[in-house]
């Protein structure tokens, strides 16, 4: 914290104490004046910071209390005043999710509130423990002068794309949108086919089950005793648009699925999230918090890992810096690298493990040539279809301060309501064309039309669908630029490089528009606002997608798992780095290909499965269960013709 921040907190706390405990009101007034002065100084020297939200509620409330106490002072009054001040203290942190970030404003994720300080720093205030109202401030890497920054993407009009990472306990699971998608069964069969032995769906399924506690209880496909809580938020009960979207998908000729994480992914149905009892279920809450007091675990924060120490092709320790001081940790058994799809290849390359050309150009001694490190990079893109809504039922009416406060109070008191969900409560998975066996397009439905800055995208009410192509053929890379561990690597995804990816996006735009034009949405559909019906031809769609598509923040596959016969393989099927003893990589970087869905679920599953390998345990017994595949997939794109067909030129 900065000095004026600390001073503001102290002065506010002092003024409240003086208000409650002292009969002499001059002390309170002096402190109130000093607090206002400190806030003004802070605003002048440091900009608009989180204390302003604090002050908007707290200082006026305390002054009213001061005036009230001049007339009536007794124990009952004091109780009322303390309750009032407590309410004023808590409410700035009780703001629900409505949007994604853009520098310069606030955005909200579940019970978490974020604030952009500038293009390179993000403050995060969260209630990780429902019984503890402590605030935690972390920094997250986003593009900027001090952030990992994509190179200009050549097939996206040379745009630079955001590439965030969760630099906080629990990693990106602590800052993500809490969407829980395992991926399609065929994604994991694909892994095995690419050389990742033991990673078929039947072999992964028992680990998916072991991870989770599904709110509807355990069944053949879902777990009921795991650390990760999964649910459907409010079960689509608080807004009719959720089910209308599902019905529109069915009217467009697609199947309905009761559980896309179970037997059947393809189709439309309720969407699941890592939320339990209204609280985010991050890996920090689910795994780290229960284990953090173990005698054999020591957690270090504020650490920059600079490299892995190698001795004769064996990992023996790590070199790291903390508070500007370099230190070395020696490993008794082995080192497990879990720095994510950006950090893991970066650390390997800094350690002299990677492609010869990359290491040479960065001035790094080549200790072990491994061409696949940093290659095979994949990500998901998405766009936002936005429609005007004819009925005043969307979340756009909940953006004002009063409604946010009410939502926050309900969440604080009962962990229910709009603050207990990520608001993505219905979804869809479809195939873009005949001849592909499993879905390659994903939909998240949101009963609001929002901009990245958290404000409404239009006057009045609206709703939107997040649409994205999930099975991509374009490949990118991560390459260090020099030997400085604090320098950010060069990142390029080559989004939309291939003809197939571009065609998939044309299909995605047209199919999405057709779904959202079905009769089930007629009573709500006030017209397409974005992209707009004028965006119709291949050329127009291509141009609009290049200009508007955004990363879904799913970087992966940069240290791929596979067969030792594949020269681009980085790790074997238990995460061990090829050619290096006592070193494993266990995170989403080892995915051979990107799954059909959000990455949090499969990443946790992978960690559970590889944990057994680290401990020398036999893998769990495979589960021989059926998976639904459309029997007509070779000839048909969907089950039936749409009720209302949209004709394109």
């Amino acid at each position: 914290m900065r000095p004026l921040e600390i001073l503001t907190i102290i002065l506010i706390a002092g003024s409240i104490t003086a208000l409650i405990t002292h009969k002499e009101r001059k002390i309170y007034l002096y402190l109130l004046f000093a607090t206002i002065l400190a806030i003004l100084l802070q605003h002048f020297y440091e900009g608009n910071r989180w204390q302003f939200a604090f002050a908007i509620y707290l200082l006026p409330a305390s002054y009213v209390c001061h005036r009230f106490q001049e007339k009536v002072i007794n124990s009952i009054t004091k109780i009322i005043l303390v309750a009032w001040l407590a309410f004023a203290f808590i409410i700035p942190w009780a703001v629900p999710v409505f949007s994604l970030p853009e520098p310069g404003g606030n955005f909200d994720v579940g019970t978490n509130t974020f604030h952009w300080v500038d293009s390179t720093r993000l403050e995060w205030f969260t209630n990780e423990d429902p019984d503890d109202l402590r605030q935690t401030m972390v920094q997250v890497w986003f593009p900027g002068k001090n952030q990992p920054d994509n190179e200009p993407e050549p097939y996206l009009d040379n745009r630079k794309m955001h590439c965030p990472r969760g630099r906080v306990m629990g990693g990106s699971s602590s800052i993500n949108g809490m969407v829980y998608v395992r991926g399609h069964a065929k994604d994991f069969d694909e892994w095995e086919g690419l050389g990742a032995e033991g990673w078929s769906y039947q072999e992964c399924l028992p680990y998916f089950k072991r991870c989770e506690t599904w709110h509807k209880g355990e069944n053949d496909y879902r777990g009921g005793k795991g650390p990760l809580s999964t649910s459907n938020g409010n079960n689509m009960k608080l807004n009719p648009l959720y089910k209308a979207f599902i019905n529109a998908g069915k009217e467009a000729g697609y199947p309905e699925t009761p559980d896309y994480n179970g037997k059947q992914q393809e189709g439309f149905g309720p969407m699941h999230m890592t939320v339990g009892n209204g609280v985010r279920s991050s890996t920090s809450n689910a795994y780290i918090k229960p284990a953090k007091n173990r005698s054999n675990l020591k957690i270090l924060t504020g650490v920059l890992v600079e490299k892995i120490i190698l001795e004769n092709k064996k990992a023996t320790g790590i070199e790291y810096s903390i508070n500007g001081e370099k230190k070395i940790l020696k490993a008794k058994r082995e080192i497990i690298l879990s720095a994510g799809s950006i950090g893991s290849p970066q650390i390997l390359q800094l350690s002299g493990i990677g492609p010869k050309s990359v290491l040479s150009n960065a001035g790094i001694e080549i200790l072990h040539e491994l061409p696949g490190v940093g290659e095979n990079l994949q990500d998901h893109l998405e766009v936002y279809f936005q429609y005007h809504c004819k009925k005043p039922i969307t979340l756009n009416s909940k953006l004002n301060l009063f409604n946010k406060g009410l939502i926050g109070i309900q969440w604080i008191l009962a962990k229910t309501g709009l603050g207990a969900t990520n608001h993505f409560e219905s979804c869809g998975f479809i195939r873009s064309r005949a001849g592909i066996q499993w879905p390659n397009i994903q939909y998240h439905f949101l009963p609001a039309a929002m901009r990245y800055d958290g404000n409404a995208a239009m006057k009045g009410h609206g709703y939107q669908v997040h649409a994205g192509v999930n099975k991509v053929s374009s490949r990118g890379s991560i390459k260090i630029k020099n030997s400085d561990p604090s320098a950010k690597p060069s990142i390029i995804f080559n989004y939309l490089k291939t003809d197939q990816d571009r065609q998939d996006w044309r299909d995605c735009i047209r199919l999405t528009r057709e779904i959202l034009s079905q009769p089930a949405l007629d009573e709500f559909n006030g017209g397409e606002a974005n992209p707009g019906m004028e965006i119709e031809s291949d050329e127009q769609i291509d141009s609009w997608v290049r200009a508007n598509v955004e990363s879904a923040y799913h970087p992966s596959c940069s240290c791929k798992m596979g067969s030792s016969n594949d020269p681009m393989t980085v790790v074997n099927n238990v995460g061990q780095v090829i050619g290096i003893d006592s070193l494993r990589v266990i995170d989403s970087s080892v995915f051979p290909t990107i799954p059909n869905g959000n990455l949090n679920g499969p990443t946790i599953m992978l960690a559970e499965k590889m944990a057994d390998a680290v401990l020398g345990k036999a893998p769990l017994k495979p589960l021989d269960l059926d998976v639904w595949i459309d029997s007509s997939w070779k000839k048909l794109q969907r089950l039936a013709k749409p009720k209302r067909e949209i004709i394109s030129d």
Side-chain angles (χ1 to χ4, degrees), residues 573-610:
N573 66 336
V574 291
Q576 295 169 321
V577 177
I578 302 297
I580 301 292
D581 292 334
S582 303
L583 177 61
R584 298 183 199 248
V585 180
I586 303 179
D587 54 38
S588 60
S589 71
V590 308
F591 293 177
T593 55
I594 194 166
N596 187 42
N598 305 63
L599 301 192
N600 189 42
T603 302
I604 296 171
M605 177 278 295
L606 179 138
E608 284 272 12
K609 194 170 187 302
M610 285 192 174

Side-chain angles (χ1 to χ4, degrees), residues 500-549:
Q500 187 60 66
D501 283 354
R502 293 191 290 273
Q503 182 59 50
D504 285 347
W505 270 104
R506 295 172 197 140
D507 295 338
C508 177
I509 298 301
R510 292 183 171 120
L511 292 170
T512 305
R513 178 173 285 151
E514 184 178 68
I515 293 167
L516 296 174
S517 300
Q518 294 305 309
L521 285 166
D522 281 353
E523 62 176 304
F524 309 107
N525 190 345
E528 182 180 318
N530 194 38
M533 294 298 293
E534 70 277 5
I535 307 298
E536 187 175 5
S537 68
D538 285 0
E539 293 76 16
Q540 290 171 325
I541 292 174
D542 288 350
S543 178
W544 185 83
V545 169
R546 288 195 305 269
N548 291 277
V549 76

Side-chain angles (χ1 to χ4, degrees), residues 456-530:
M458 60 187 68
K459 291 184 178 180
H461 286 262
Y463 54 89
Q464 67 189 41
V465 174
H466 296 215
V469 175
N470 277 356
K471 301 302 290 184
V472 298
S473 56
S474 300
R475 299 290 186 266
S477 63
I478 298 165
K479 300 176 182 178
I480 58 172
K481 299 177 181 179
N482 51 52
S483 60
D484 181 3
S486 64
K488 311 308 183 259
S490 171
I491 305 171
I492 185 166
F493 287 92
N494 286 318
Y495 296 116
L496 304 185
K497 179 180 180 179
T498 67
D499 291 338
Q500 187 60 66
D501 283 354
R502 293 191 290 273
Q503 182 59 50
D504 285 347
W505 270 104
R506 295 172 197 140
D507 295 338
C508 177
I509 298 301
R510 292 183 171 120
L511 292 170
T512 305
R513 178 173 285 151
E514 184 178 68
I515 293 167
L516 296 174
S517 300
Q518 294 305 309
L521 285 166
D522 281 353
E523 62 176 304
F524 309 107
N525 190 345
E528 182 180 318
N530 194 38

Side-chain angles (χ1 to χ4, degrees), residues 267-303:
F268 287 74
M271 185 159 235
H272 308 153
M273 61 192 74
T274 50
V275 173
N277 298 318
V279 178
R280 173 190 290 270
S281 185
S282 63
T283 56
S284 177
N285 287 335
Y287 287 91
I288 299 175
K289 184 175 288 185
K292 66 181 181 181
N293 294 322
R294 288 170 47 175
S295 60
N296 63 345
L297 174 64
K298 184 177 182 180
I299 299 173
L300 300 177
T301 60
V303 167

Side-chain angles (χ1 to χ4, degrees), residues 309-338:
I309 300 170
L310 300 180
E311 297 178 8
N312 298 319
K313 302 264 178 140
K314 180 180 180 180
T316 60
I318 64 168
E319 184 178 303
Y320 70 98
S321 60
I322 182 169
N323 298 323
E325 182 181 357
K326 289 191 177 184
K327 295 188 177 184
I328 291 176
L329 278 177
K330 289 290 187 179
K332 291 183 179 180
R333 297 181 182 178
E334 61 181 3
I335 295 167
I336 299 173
L337 181 58
S338 301

Side-chain angles (χ1 to χ4, degrees), residues 236-257:
M236 303 186 293
K237 295 179 180 179
L238 300 186
N239 200 297
L241 282 163
Y242 291 122
K243 292 184 178 179
F245 175 68
I246 296 172
N247 290 333
K250 292 161 59 180
E251 290 177 344
Y254 302 99
E256 183 175 9
T257 176

